Amino acid sequence: DIQMTQSPSSLSASVGDRVTITCRASQSTISYLNWYQQKPGKAPKLLISGASSLQSGVPSRFSGSGSGTDFTLTISSLQPEDFATYYCQQSYSTPPTFGQGTRVEI
Amino acid sequence: QVQLVESGGGVVQPGRSLRLSCAGSGFTFSGNAMHWIRQAPGKGLEWVAVISNDGGNKHYADSVKGRFTISRDNSRNTLSLQMNSLTTEDTAVYYCARDQTAYGDYYFDFWGQGTLVTVSS
């Protein structure tokens, strides 16, 4: 199985901050890397697929980059509604695997 | 709009069985592969199983292989997960999720709200 490791596990930030979350795969996933946002008590929401393709309706302050084993999710200007846990997930091979999550809090 | 609604969760004793259902609407249910994904309390996400759009192909996580069975009824727009020989390790919120493709690209563009399964004596 491909292991996905996110860093940091949690971070504290303020409204307006630029936030960067990193995801590293144990082997190349090419660009088969997806990002999800999960708020407490809610289901995850797909933000970005294919490493950098923003899903419809997702604000443009979210962006993704990377390929191979190293990927980044960036929130350019953190908004109050962005405080949540973020997960990366590889869809290159079965079983699909998730990172452990990054909690973004005030 | 796409909606996925899970049901069937509850409290069950170790070794017993439970069947989860997921009703899909707002899209052509028979056009998409479907997944089950779970999340233990306070933990991360774990993929459980996938079924292709026509039900002809199924894959499972090693942790549930031989105990869980995924199925679908496209005439009723329903996805199911039969869970046998449950252990406390199976305690989690179970989500159904839609794949963007018929056969499974293994990323999940819509999720249900989840149903909680608690395995406890």
Side-chain angles (χ1 to χ4, degrees):
Chain A
D1 298 3
I2 298 178
Q3 306 304 314
M4 308 300 294
T5 304
Q6 291 180 230
S7 60
S9 295
S10 65
L11 65 91
S12 294
S14 300
V15 173
D17 284 353
R18 182 181 182 88
V19 169
T20 299
I21 299 168
T22 297
C23 177
R24 175 163 287 176
S26 60
Q27 63 188 77
S28 177
T29 66
I30 310 180
S31 292
Y32 293 94
L33 191 285
N34 313 295
W35 290 97
Y36 301 85
Q37 176 194 65
Q38 187 178 33
K39 297 181 179 179
K42 300 294 186 182
K45 172 186 175 183
L46 179 64
L47 298 177
I48 289 171
S49 62
S52 59
S53 296
L54 204 64
Q55 293 299 292
S56 175
V58 175
S60 59
R61 62 181 179 272
F62 290 92
S63 64
S65 64
S67 64
T69 60
D70 294 308
F71 301 89
T72 299
L73 173 69
T74 300
I75 309 172
S76 61
S77 177
L78 198 66
Q79 298 301 300
E81 60 268 31
D82 300 336
F83 290 94
T85 299
Y86 294 84
Y87 293 93
C88 62
Q89 175 245 330
Q90 65 83 16
S91 50
Y92 176 69
S93 69
T94 307
T97 47
F98 294 86
Q100 82 279 15
T102 295
R103 184 175 179 181
V104 176
E105 53 194 6
I106 301 174
Chain B
Q1 70 281 19
V2 174
Q3 281 200 316
L4 298 168
V5 179
E6 301 93 338
S7 60
V11 180
V12 61
Q13 293 179 328
R16 305 298 290 266
S17 300
L18 201 63
R19 187 178 183 88
L20 306 182
S21 295
C22 170
S25 62
F27 67 106
T28 303
F29 188 79
S30 61
N32 295 79
M34 297 293 296
H35 300 261
W36 287 99
I37 297 155
R38 67 184 181 183
Q39 186 170 35
K43 302 296 184 182
L45 299 162
E46 180 188 17
W47 174 80
V48 173
V50 62
I51 186 168
S52 60
N53 67 317
D54 62 359
N57 280 276
K58 307 173 186 180
H59 296 281
Y60 299 91
D62 286 345
S63 58
V64 306
K65 200 172 295 183
R67 300 188 300 122
F68 289 13
T69 302
I70 189 171
S71 61
R72 66 190 296 161
D73 183 343
N74 286 341
S75 67
R76 298 185 177 188
N77 291 354
T78 301
L79 173 73
S80 297
L81 185 68
Q82 176 66 41
M83 305 186 293
N84 298 334
S85 303
L86 286 162
T87 76
T88 56
E89 301 293 305
D90 297 317
T91 294
V93 174
Y94 284 74
Y95 297 100
C96 67
R98 191 183 83 162
D99 195 290
Q100 284 208 348
T101 67
Y103 235 67
D105 267 1
Y106 289 85
Y107 67 97
F108 322 109
D109 64 350
F110 286 95
W111 299 58
Q113 85 289 351
T115 188
L116 176 62
V117 173
T118 303
V119 184
S120 173
S121 54

